[in-house]
Amino acid sequence: MLEVEQKVIDELRQGEAYEGIQGEGLHAEKRFYIESYGCQMNFSDSEIIASILQTSGFGSTRNVDQADLILLNTCSIREKAEQTIRKRLTEFKKIKKQNPGLLIGILGCMAERLKSKLLEEEKLVDIVVGPDAYRTLPGLIEEAETGTKAVNVLLSREETYADISPVRINSNGINAFVSIMRGCNNMCAFCVVPFTRGRERSRDNISIINECKDLFQRGFKEVTLLGQNVDSYYWVDPITNHAVDFAMLLEQVALISPNMRVRFSTSHPKDITEKVLQTMKSYHNICKYIHLPVQSGSTRILQLMNRTYTREWYLAKVKRIKEIMPDCAISSDIIAGFCTEDDQDHLDTLDVMRISMYEYSYMFAYSERPGTLAAKRYKDDVPEEVKKKRLEEIVSLQNKLSFESNLKDIGKKVEVLIEGDSKKSNLQWMGRNSQYKVVVFDKSDSSLQPGDYAWVEVTDCTQGTLLGKLVS
Ligand code: SF4
């Protein structure tokens, strides 16, 4: 599962809007406004949606009052994510009254989960489109412009949008997401993704390499290869029958240029291979950071979650990663309070966190999702206050682990890719090291610009940031 919402260091601003395309053609004078919610895959999808709308002549606006079409690209991973959307919709009531021709569309996982039921529940909504049906958006808009509600939530076994070049939204021109596959074949008991994003399918490696080459030529210095479970990436060329697995794809992207960093997300502990780890070690520009969701530290709970690995298997993977790349950072996803979880299961989770020494994690209380295996098989029997207390313990342990990890970096020299001004002061640069840690340092050398690499000596830290001084 890709990273979602709250992280130890607040990263993603909800409801990013977009500006900048002047459209021509059928809808030339029409403008769309899009907000993206949830995981990186959704933000990457919004860039594909912007490209499809641009091609059909739409312009765009960052100002919701100027929009002819409002699109919410939604998340359904927890009940709270859907409530956020329903609340956001109420805020459009007034705008729609003032502009009756305005169309509102719900896209993404909530659209796929609820389908046309969403039209009954939310009268403001005109268009409902699932993650595999974005190509049909222009046609659905025309349909809705005639006054009928328009829906397409068909899931596909082929669709990867490989031929659509994403329009980079709110991009800093340095880092970019590149989706390499869609859907998921795992059936983790708590997860809606297999139902909202369908079966797994990999995108052809050539289109991925071309997109990364194009990004590098346009000055981008880092690509993140995206998939629900990148380790099961597998593409067979229909003509040559040549097969490409994830380790091979990773190498092909790393070979584009040693000056372009390569990251990937998300890995699955049961699928990450020795070959991938050895490939990461072989290339300096493949960042030494792995997002390896554990979800629980208890083998009994992992079996109920249908994660298909045991606590011992997981810890053996972590040990192997550290053997091959001692400086590799690991982050995780952790669910507190899954069905039947008892105190010992919870202690097992805290124990796995200590042994794995995570740099940071995405931590949530279990939220039962309709239609999932867990909702069908198990009672959501852990009381909310117990979930809350366990989550607090998990978060406070993680904060301690993150701080301890940063303390160990004091005195080290780290290579930083400058992304821009630090949030706190434009007299300081903010960037990341290979371990995906945020590094902030003074702008002492005026020749440096965003997109440049700089060596920084770490002199201090907080729980979420390394502070340092430029060495070269
Ligand atoms: S089913 Fe499992 S592996 Fe797939 S997206 Fe959900 S949590 Fe991740």
Side-chain angles (χ1 to χ4, degrees):
M1 168 161 51
L2 284 159
E3 291 99 336
V4 171
E5 291 184 17
Q6 203 61 26
K7 170 174 170 180
V8 174
I9 307 162
D10 199 349
E11 195 103 18
L12 294 167
R13 293 180 305 285
Q14 291 297 356
E16 277 181 3
Y18 175 57
E19 176 115 39
I21 306 177
Q22 304 313 317
E24 63 283 329
L26 182 60
H27 298 106
E29 69 290 350
K30 296 263 170 135
R31 294 176 156 251
F32 74 89
Y33 167 93
I34 187 165
E35 286 180 7
S36 310
Y37 293 79
C39 68
Q40 295 154 323
M41 187 59 93
N42 249 11
F43 283 72
S44 166
D45 280 357
S46 292
E47 298 182 334
I48 289 167
I49 293 159
S51 181
I52 291 169
L53 289 174
Q54 179 194 38
T55 313
S56 80
F58 262 87
S60 63
T61 176
R62 186 191 283 274
N63 184 339
V64 70
D65 299 320
Q66 290 173 357
D68 303 287
L69 171 67
I70 294 176
L71 298 173
L72 301 183
N73 191 1
T74 65
C75 171
S76 187
I77 210 76
R78 264 169 294 285
E79 184 52 28
K80 182 169 160 284
E82 293 194 358
Q83 284 161 8
T84 306
I85 298 299
R86 293 187 190 277
K87 181 170 167 297
R88 187 71 178 119
L89 280 171
T90 60
E91 293 157 15
F92 297 148
K93 253 200 192 95
K94 208 159 117 275
I95 305 172
K96 188 131 186 179
K97 249 211 195 86
Q98 288 153 354
N99 173 4
L102 170 69
L103 294 177
I104 296 177
I106 299 293
L107 316 177
C109 292
M110 186 179 175
E112 190 64 45
R113 191 179 79 75
L114 293 166
K115 302 180 172 38
S116 48
K117 197 159 144 263
L118 199 50
L119 295 173
E120 293 148 29
E121 296 174 356
E122 302 289 345
K123 300 296 179 216
L124 276 182
V125 175
D126 306 291
I127 305 168
V128 174
V129 193
D132 287 347
Y134 296 144
R135 284 179 200 273
T136 66
L137 194 50
L140 294 167
I141 294 166
E142 276 169 37
E143 203 182 318
E145 281 169 346
T146 64
T148 54
K149 302 283 185 182
V151 180
N152 186 346
V153 287
L154 282 178
L155 285 175
S156 160
R157 284 180 176 272
E158 280 83 41
E159 183 62 87
T160 63
Y161 302 114
D163 58 323
I164 295 178
S165 54
V167 171
R168 304 296 159 181
I169 290 182
N170 286 323
S171 170
N172 60 5
I174 310 292
N175 343 73
F177 295 140
V178 175
S179 89
I180 64 169
M181 60 196 299
R182 299 180 71 82
C184 186
N185 285 355
N186 297 309
M187 287 303 278
C188 302
F190 51 82
C191 187
V192 289
V193 171
F195 307 98
T196 59
R197 286 188 167 271
R199 310 314 294 159
E200 215 162 71
R201 66 226 96 129
S202 295
R203 180 181 162 192
D204 75 280
N205 62 319
I206 303 303
S207 73
I208 296 168
I209 294 163
N210 290 342
E211 183 176 332
C212 295
K213 273 187 184 155
D214 172 61
L215 285 165
F216 185 65
Q217 276 141 19
R218 288 163 51 197
F220 285 80
K221 286 293 182 53
E222 181 181 282
V223 291
T224 300
L225 306 180
L226 283 185
Q228 308 292 348
N229 174 10
V230 291
D231 296 294
S232 56
Y233 173 88
Y234 194 72
W235 167 258
V236 180
D237 186 302
I239 298 151
T240 65
N241 226 12
H242 176 65
V244 179
D245 64 18
F246 185 55
M248 294 160 74
L249 177 71
L250 206 46
E251 181 165 39
Q252 290 170 351
V253 175
L255 285 169
I256 291 172
S257 166
N259 298 325
M260 184 174 72
R261 279 182 172 178
V262 184
R263 297 186 185 278
F264 56 87
S265 189
T266 291
S267 288
H268 195 296
K270 76 172 171 45
D271 295 322
I272 191 163
T273 63
E274 179 79 9
K275 201 176 155 196
V276 164
L277 300 180
Q278 295 297 349
T279 305
M280 289 179 72
K281 183 178 180 182
S282 318
Y283 290 88
H284 172 74
N285 61 327
I286 300 180
C287 293
K288 304 302 175 278
Y289 161 64
I290 296 174
H291 183 60
L292 197 68
V294 69
Q295 307 296 1
S296 169
S298 152
T299 294
R300 186 184 72 82
I301 295 292
L302 288 170
Q303 273 151 3
L304 291 179
M305 285 178 164
N306 194 28
R307 288 289 287 172
T308 68
Y309 55 81
T310 61
R311 160 199 175 86
E312 291 70 26
W313 167 281
Y314 182 89
L315 290 174
K317 279 287 174 184
V318 169
K319 186 163 172 283
R320 188 65 190 136
I321 292 170
K322 296 288 183 182
E323 279 167 2
I324 295 173
M325 297 170 283
D327 63 344
C328 187
I330 301 178
S331 64
S332 194
D333 290 354
I334 297 163
I335 294 176
F338 186 72
C339 316
T340 78
E341 185 190 73
D342 60 23
D343 290 347
Q344 186 51 51
D345 299 318
H346 174 56
L347 292 176
D348 289 346
T349 297
L350 298 175
D351 191 42
V352 160
M353 291 176 70
R354 286 189 199 92
I355 297 169
S356 306
M357 297 194 291
Y358 294 131
E359 264 68 25
Y360 38 74
S361 294
Y362 301 82
M363 302 157 282
F364 303 97
Y366 172 60
S367 165
E368 184 183 86
R369 305 308 292 133
T372 57
L373 287 182
K376 289 179 190 144
R377 291 183 187 163
Y378 317 123
K379 196 164 170 300
D380 181 6
D381 57 1
V382 177
E384 285 307 315
E385 67 277 9
V386 175
K387 285 182 187 175
K388 194 162 171 291
K389 184 171 166 302
R390 288 180 183 163
L391 181 59
E392 280 161 10
E393 286 174 21
I394 289 170
V395 170
S396 79
L397 172 58
Q398 183 56 62
N399 290 345
K400 186 167 158 290
L401 293 172
S402 301
F403 192 43
E404 283 168 3
S405 168
N406 284 353
L407 283 172
K408 287 192 201 117
D409 288 334
I410 293 181
K412 285 186 189 162
K413 292 189 176 59
V414 295
E415 186 182 30
V416 178
L417 171 57
I418 300 174
E419 292 182 20
D421 290 349
S422 93
K423 275 192 197 139
K424 292 209 177 93
S425 156
N426 56 15
L427 301 175
Q428 294 184 311
W429 287 126
M430 170 273 184
R432 288 174 196 278
N433 66 1
S434 180
Q435 287 71 22
Y436 204 54
K437 288 187 177 181
V438 171
V439 184
V440 169
F441 59 101
D442 293 347
K443 293 183 181 180
S444 48
D445 174 344
S446 59
S447 69
L448 285 174
Q449 289 303 315
D452 290 342
Y453 291 96
W455 281 95
V456 174
E457 181 178 341
V458 180
T459 53
D460 196 356
C461 71
T462 65
Q463 171 224 307
T465 305
L466 299 176
L467 307 167
K469 66 178 191 318
L470 186 65
V471 285
S472 69

